[in-house]
């Protein structure tokens, strides 16, 4: 594979599993050093780094930060700056809490918004100026289909993802004229997955399976029938390939978008 990210460094938040890990592997395969982040003990962090290096990354190093705490994000970004700085920033860390609006406590609201939206704001405000100085930078925010359409019982999550899409559009406009075709320019985009095979969906899959006598596949089919016309989930690797393409020089003029990968969900 072409090593078009050789010499670049990518920070992927929430990259010890799922979509984040798949993206880290894909970017590493193209030659990028990977700053790994997530909720992980030392063994889990080391395992993720080893997997990413085995996929082809020249180096993978774990950086710790609580995405609810701006001070720890600032410390992480400073440490990454000393390591070389993030040429590519993938904000993937996120949580979901399913609850009716009337039962969503201030604590639930604050936590979901802090991790899903404010955390991305802090990494972006600290990374983008250096990207502009270099003439190349990619911010890829993993939003959700719920950054484009709503669902019941997900008010904090939907609000955070709609906010992430809006934040990304503003940043895209502010940095659109930095760099050029030769340097790669600065782009800011969102990927908006629909149903994707990740651990965050396990509670919903299990609940749906329980309604079908424990049949997991039947439960998944029922979930997808309600929303995703293709009837197929996406795999994390498929989301990763889109993130990889968005990082390529050829994508220099694609910015400010929110790209659904949802089997037709938002087309309805």
């Amino acid at each position: 594979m072409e090593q078009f990210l050789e010499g670049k460094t990518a920070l992927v938040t929430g990259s010890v599993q799922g979509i984040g890990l798949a993206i880290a592997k894909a970017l590493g395969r193209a030659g990028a050093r990977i700053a790994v982040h997530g909720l992980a003990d030392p063994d889990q962090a080391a395992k993720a780094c080893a997997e990413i290096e085995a996929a082809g990354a020249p180096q993978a190093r774990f950086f710790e930060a609580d995405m609810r705490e701006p001070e720890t994000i600032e410390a992480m970004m400073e440490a990454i700056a000393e390591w070389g700085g993030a040429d590519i920033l993938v904000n993937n860390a996120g949580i979901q809490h399913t609850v009716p609006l009337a039962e969503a406590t201030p604590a639930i609201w604050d936590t979901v918004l802090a991790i899903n939206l404010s955390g991305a704001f802090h990494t972006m405000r600290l990374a983008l100026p250096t990207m502009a100085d270099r003439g190349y930078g990619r911010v890829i925010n993993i939003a959700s289909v719920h950054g484009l359409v709503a669902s019941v019982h997900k008010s904090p999550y939907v609000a955070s993802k709609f906010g992430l899409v809006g934040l990304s559009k503003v940043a895209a406009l502010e940095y659109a004229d930095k760099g050029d075709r030769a340097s790669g320019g600065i782009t800011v985009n969102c990927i908006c997955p629909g149903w994707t095979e990740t651990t965050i969906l396990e509670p919903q899959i299990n609940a749906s399976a329980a309604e079908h006598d424990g049949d997991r596949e039947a439960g998944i089919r029922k979930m997808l029938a309600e929303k995703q016309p293709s009837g197929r989930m996406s795999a994390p690797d498929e989301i990763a390939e889109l993130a990889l393409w968005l990082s390529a020089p050829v994508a220099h003029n694609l910015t400010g978008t929110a790209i659904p990968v949802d089997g037709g969900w938002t087309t309805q």
Side-chain angles (χ1 to χ4, degrees):
M1 178 179 177
E2 183 184 357
Q3 299 285 290
F4 64 84
L5 295 179
E6 188 174 2
K8 306 294 189 189
T9 298
L11 165 61
V12 185
T13 68
S15 50
V16 295
Q17 63 179 358
I19 291 173
L21 179 58
I23 292 173
K25 288 179 178 180
L27 298 177
R29 192 174 73 240
R33 295 192 311 168
I34 306 298
V36 183
H37 162 272
L39 293 175
D41 61 32
D43 289 342
Q44 292 169 326
K47 181 175 182 292
C49 289
E51 287 186 31
I52 293 164
E53 290 181 353
Q59 189 177 3
R61 176 178 164 188
F62 184 77
F63 293 84
E64 191 170 1
D66 184 334
M67 300 307 287
R68 298 169 298 180
E69 301 292 341
E71 297 82 3
T72 68
I73 296 172
E74 290 172 359
M76 175 180 72
M77 297 303 289
E78 183 176 343
I80 293 170
E82 293 172 356
W83 196 48
D87 301 289
I88 301 163
L89 167 63
V90 182
N91 282 305
N92 171 71
I95 61 169
Q96 181 175 190
H97 196 112
T98 303
V99 63
L101 177 61
E103 297 174 18
T105 65
I108 291 171
W109 175 268
D110 290 346
T111 298
V112 173
L113 268 290
I115 294 172
N116 293 4
L117 179 56
S118 296
F121 163 74
H122 292 301
T123 57
M124 289 168 65
R125 71 177 175 84
L126 294 167
L128 277 162
T130 300
M131 292 179 182
D133 290 342
R134 295 175 175 176
Y136 169 86
R138 296 291 186 267
V139 177
I140 302 167
N141 291 324
I142 307 304
S144 167
V145 68
H146 287 116
L148 303 171
V149 295
S151 292
V152 298
H153 298 168
K154 294 182 180 179
S155 55
Y157 186 75
V158 169
S160 71
K161 295 301 185 179
F162 265 73
L164 186 58
V165 170
L167 171 64
S168 301
K169 288 179 180 292
V170 172
L173 290 174
E174 291 186 3
Y175 286 88
D177 63 348
K178 310 303 180 186
D180 52 30
R181 180 184 282 113
S183 67
I186 315 299
T187 69
V188 183
N189 293 288
C190 286
I191 298 176
C192 300
W195 294 117
T196 306
E197 297 170 9
T198 60
T199 55
I200 196 171
L201 291 181
E202 281 303 311
Q204 290 171 267
I205 292 172
N206 292 337
S208 185
E211 296 174 1
H212 294 80
D213 299 321
D215 187 330
R216 179 181 174 85
E217 293 305 314
I220 291 173
R221 286 195 299 272
K222 175 62 164 57
M223 287 170 55
L224 268 59
E226 294 172 355
K227 300 286 188 181
Q228 197 146 306
S230 69
R232 302 184 299 274
M233 282 193 177
S234 297
D237 289 349
E238 295 162 4
I239 308 300
E241 289 301 317
L242 176 54
L244 179 61
W245 187 86
L246 288 172
S247 301
V250 71
H252 68 94
N253 241 353
L254 180 58
T255 193
T257 67
I259 305 171
V261 186
D262 64 0
W265 184 334
T266 55
T267 304
Q268 301 175 93

